[in-house]
Amino acid sequence: MAGVVVMISSSIVRPLNTTRSGRTKVHLTPFDLSLLQIDYPQRALQKYFPFAGRLAKVENPEDNTVSFFIDCDGSGARFQHAEAKTLSVSDLLQPDGSVPDFMKNFFPADDFKNCDGVTEPLLALQVTEMKDGVFLSYCYNHLVADGVSMWNFIHAWSKICSSSSSSDHPPLVFKEWFLKGINYPIHIPVSEAERPPPSRELSSVPVTKDKVFHFTKKNVSDLKAKATSEVGSSDMNISSLQAVSAHMWRSIIRHSGLSRGGETYCKVAVGLRQRLDPPLDKDCFGNMTYLVPAIATVEELQDRGLGWAARQIRNLVSSQTNENCNNFAEEWVRNVKNLKSGVGSRIAGDTIVVASSPRFQVYNNDFGWGKPIAVRAGPGNSVSGKLVLFPGFDEGSIDVQATLWCDVLVNLLADVEFLEHVTAMV
């Protein structure tokens, strides 16, 4: 399918009324900087002007470190227009949930890491015209924003497109959280800030494939009911995300070839806005998420059931308080390390990473072509076990785009216990 996507144009879009005098400098917190070596996530510029800036890098020769901040200099975001006139929507949205390899060409960037924001745009967007539809995609620098901020941007942009006016959008509210007792910008060892060379481990890494698993409202309800009954506590509420994540965690690890005594990890992206004291504005702009792991042995995960696994994830999320958020940040500043490990090892196969959220408002964004019918994640951070959760098209349903080693995926698709709670895509 090479060559099916043809680039028509690529341009830099800058916000109006931008001057270089008095421009905003946005300092970065440990939650931001911990993502320095992570790939760009793939999915109304005047209001969201930080996206039009660049990552500024400052060398500190006195201690052999570097510092970063967002320079809102109005350099602009990248906008690409492409065509794939030989492809239909059905070629992308395959009935069995398979994600075709050529879909990566529908996204505006590949292999960008957040540290590349010094020279690359912090936001890139691509509109691809197909035979019978339009594919809108984006990638953004995670140091600048998280999923909450990015989907707010998409919603604001769609409203501007449908109304042709940006005057009714309130000004951007920045996150107002910085770690006390340290100087900004934070100093990072040069060795941790440099872009890592291509990993030697990649030559021995099994091939991964992406597949979308669809959980109907009933599937989700059944998983929640099963998990809650196994927990045996009426006052412990298991959420939809926790129940589905626990089901995916147990099922994937069951086929990962790990010893029963080995440890396995479920890393969950936790939002911090309402967990801090005082809480932040729920829609404030910036990155206010970080990955925290639930830990279990393979034996515990498999033998103690869905409810036990869901409770580990629930306890992990509920334990993220103002105190331990600050403890994480303080420890990170004291001991900056392992930035180049990214979201996890490409070869261990012991971890799942739960990203995005089924709570994001995906299907109410109309750019004038009609509302979306599906959402997909693009390339980037492609470790086996990466799970990107989106709301399904039908209310109450959840779509999970899973990146898995091919042998794990084959075994998963033959797993009756797993498939019992999954419905074929339609």
Side-chain angles (χ1 to χ4, degrees), residues 100-267:
D101 291 337
F102 63 77
M103 186 177 284
K104 65 183 179 182
N105 299 314
F106 283 74
F107 289 84
D110 190 13
D111 197 35
F112 277 7
K113 294 192 180 296
N114 291 319
C115 58
D116 295 332
V118 174
T119 56
E120 298 291 345
L122 304 180
L123 172 68
L125 306 126
Q126 180 172 321
V127 173
T128 304
E129 297 181 73
M130 305 173 65
K131 186 188 300 183
D132 56 358
V134 176
F135 193 104
L136 172 65
S137 64
Y138 63 80
C139 69
Y140 66 98
N141 193 302
H142 219 327
L143 302 185
V144 185
D146 55 15
V148 170
S149 294
M150 190 63 215
W151 281 108
N152 284 342
F153 166 79
I154 293 293
H155 184 59
W157 185 23
S158 70
K159 288 184 68 176
I160 290 170
C161 288
S162 59
S163 68
S164 300
S165 172
S166 60
S167 59
D168 59 343
H169 296 284
L172 203 61
V173 176
F174 283 96
K175 63 181 182 185
E176 296 180 352
W177 183 92
F178 289 98
L179 190 62
K180 297 178 180 178
I182 68 166
N183 294 322
Y184 284 87
I186 295 171
H187 288 209
I188 299 174
V190 171
S191 60
E192 292 291 337
E194 295 173 339
R195 199 184 206 280
S199 176
R200 293 181 178 177
E201 74 176 21
L202 293 181
S203 61
S204 60
V205 173
V207 175
T208 59
K209 295 287 289 184
D210 276 27
K211 191 175 184 69
V212 178
F213 296 102
H214 181 61
F215 294 82
T216 64
K217 184 176 182 178
K218 185 179 187 306
N219 291 148
V220 175
S221 177
D222 289 347
L223 283 171
K224 287 178 64 176
K226 178 178 173 62
T228 300
S229 66
E230 291 182 6
V231 167
S233 174
S234 59
D235 60 352
M236 181 169 287
N237 182 39
I238 300 297
S239 72
S240 298
L241 184 148
Q242 292 158 8
V244 171
S245 297
H247 183 59
M248 295 297 300
W249 186 18
R250 297 184 70 240
S251 302
I252 291 169
I253 295 303
R254 185 157 57 241
H255 300 292
S256 293
L258 302 172
S259 67
R260 286 175 57 81
E263 284 191 335
T264 175
Y265 312 89
C266 176
K267 294 183 178 180

Side-chain angles (χ1 to χ4, degrees), residues 6-11 79-83 125-129:
V6 179
M7 191 62 57
I8 304 302
S9 65
S10 178
S11 58
F79 181 83
Q80 298 177 177
H81 173 210
E83 289 185 346
L125 306 126
Q126 180 172 321
V127 173
T128 304
E129 297 181 73

Side-chain angles (χ1 to χ4, degrees), residues 26 47-54 70 72 122 144 172 174 285:
V26 181
K47 174 182 176 180
Y48 289 85
F49 60 89
F51 278 137
R54 292 293 183 270
I70 303 302
C72 301
L122 304 180
V144 185
L172 203 61
F174 283 96
F285 184 84

Side-chain angles (χ1 to χ4, degrees), residues 135-420:
F135 193 104
L136 172 65
S137 64
Y138 63 80
C139 69
Y140 66 98
N141 193 302
H142 219 327
L143 302 185
V144 185
D146 55 15
V148 170
S149 294
M150 190 63 215
W151 281 108
N152 284 342
F153 166 79
I154 293 293
H155 184 59
W157 185 23
S158 70
K159 288 184 68 176
I160 290 170
C161 288
S162 59
S163 68
S164 300
S165 172
S166 60
S167 59
D168 59 343
H169 296 284
L172 203 61
V173 176
F174 283 96
K175 63 181 182 185
E176 296 180 352
W177 183 92
F178 289 98
L179 190 62
K180 297 178 180 178
I182 68 166
N183 294 322
Y184 284 87
I186 295 171
H187 288 209
I188 299 174
V190 171
S191 60
E192 292 291 337
E194 295 173 339
R195 199 184 206 280
S199 176
R200 293 181 178 177
E201 74 176 21
L202 293 181
S203 61
S204 60
V205 173
V207 175
T208 59
K209 295 287 289 184
D210 276 27
K211 191 175 184 69
V212 178
F213 296 102
H214 181 61
F215 294 82
T216 64
K217 184 176 182 178
K218 185 179 187 306
N219 291 148
V220 175
S221 177
D222 289 347
L223 283 171
K224 287 178 64 176
K226 178 178 173 62
T228 300
S229 66
E230 291 182 6
V231 167
S233 174
S234 59
D235 60 352
M236 181 169 287
N237 182 39
I238 300 297
S239 72
S240 298
L241 184 148
Q242 292 158 8
V244 171
S245 297
H247 183 59
M248 295 297 300
W249 186 18
R250 297 184 70 240
S251 302
I252 291 169
I253 295 303
R254 185 157 57 241
H255 300 292
S256 293
L258 302 172
S259 67
R260 286 175 57 81
E263 284 191 335
T264 175
Y265 312 89
C266 176
K267 294 183 178 180
V268 181
V270 177
L272 304 178
R273 287 171 175 79
Q274 299 295 298
R275 299 179 185 277
L276 299 173
D277 185 16
L280 304 181
D281 184 295
K282 65 182 180 64
D283 290 320
C284 67
F285 184 84
N287 171 50
M288 287 306 297
T289 61
Y290 74 146
L291 284 175
V292 287
I295 304 173
T297 65
V298 174
E299 182 177 17
E300 290 172 331
L301 187 65
Q302 299 304 325
D303 293 355
R304 298 190 180 185
L306 176 71
W308 185 87
R311 183 170 60 185
Q312 305 316 300
I313 299 173
R314 181 188 183 279
N315 291 344
L316 169 77
V317 173
S318 62
S319 69
Q320 303 310 304
T321 62
N322 181 71
E323 181 180 3
N324 64 10
C325 290
N326 279 278
N327 289 342
F328 166 86
E330 291 170 357
E331 175 59 25
W332 193 93
V333 173
R334 283 194 299 265
N335 189 22
V336 179
K337 63 179 182 179
N338 296 331
L339 295 184
K340 295 180 182 179
S341 64
V343 296
S345 170
R346 291 175 180 264
I347 59 175
D350 57 1
T351 301
I352 71 165
V353 179
V354 181
S356 192
S357 170
R359 295 180 179 177
F360 290 151
Q361 297 299 309
V362 172
Y363 294 100
N364 62 348
N365 300 302
D366 188 344
F367 288 83
W369 307 305
K371 292 187 177 182
I373 61 170
V375 60
R376 293 291 185 267
N381 302 310
S382 294
V383 295
S384 183
K386 184 185 74 170
L387 308 178
V388 184
L389 274 63
F390 293 115
F393 184 79
D394 297 318
E395 184 178 358
S397 64
I398 295 177
D399 288 338
V400 179
Q401 184 166 331
T403 303
L404 298 169
W405 289 336
C406 291
D407 62 330
V408 173
L409 181 58
V410 168
N411 290 329
L412 195 62
L413 293 175
D415 185 335
V416 175
E417 182 180 348
F418 171 71
L419 296 175
E420 178 184 357

